[in-house]
Amino acid sequence: MVRLGFRMARLTAMHDFVECSAKHYHPDGMKAISAADANRHFSAVLRDVAQGDAVVITSRGKPVATMAPVTASSRRTVARANLLARLRTQAVAEKAAWKRDWKREDLYAE
């Protein structure tokens, strides 16, 4: 019974933290949290970000980082940018170089 009381107190403290963090906003309108509090309550901050909230992490009152959810469109944008960067570094293949001088059966020959 004592453990349950301790666990309930801990959950209440986490809930109070989430309630409290919602009251501190960066001038951009995002939630703000100190680096120390973000470190202590990383799971709660991550949960807020996963739900779509962006969080500004501050150090000594100055913003140093933004934690924001990754969207499918931003994943696609990053993948596209990586592909284009790789293609820009590759040499252009000559059409004559693409001559196929092998047969499909050659791939499976022992």
Side-chain angles (χ1 to χ4, degrees):
M1 206 67 163
V2 173
R3 277 189 152 167
L4 182 61
F6 173 74
R7 184 172 277 175
M8 290 301 288
R10 188 171 179 201
L11 289 174
T12 304
M14 288 296 289
H15 178 65
D16 291 343
F17 161 74
V18 174
E19 291 287 322
C20 178
S21 69
K23 296 177 183 174
H24 301 289
Y25 286 92
H26 188 261
D28 292 341
M30 294 186 274
K31 288 182 183 179
I33 185 170
S34 70
D37 284 340
N39 190 25
R40 267 186 293 249
H41 305 288
F42 185 74
S43 297
V45 174
L46 192 60
R47 196 173 314 116
D48 286 348
V49 171
Q51 291 175 355
D53 296 334
V55 177
V56 174
I57 300 172
T58 61
S59 178
R60 299 182 183 183
K62 295 182 181 179
V64 293
T66 303
M67 210 169 152
V70 176
T71 61
S73 63
S74 67
R75 284 185 201 143
R76 181 173 287 152
T77 303
V78 169
R80 183 173 186 264
N82 289 338
L83 174 63
L84 290 175
R86 191 180 82 222
L87 290 175
R88 284 187 191 106
T89 61
Q90 280 182 307
V92 177
E94 296 293 326
K95 190 171 184 178
W98 284 97
K99 189 170 80 172
R100 183 174 161 182
D101 57 355
W102 50 271
K103 297 178 186 169
R104 184 178 183 96
E105 295 84 35
D106 295 340
L107 294 174
Y108 301 105
E110 289 182 28

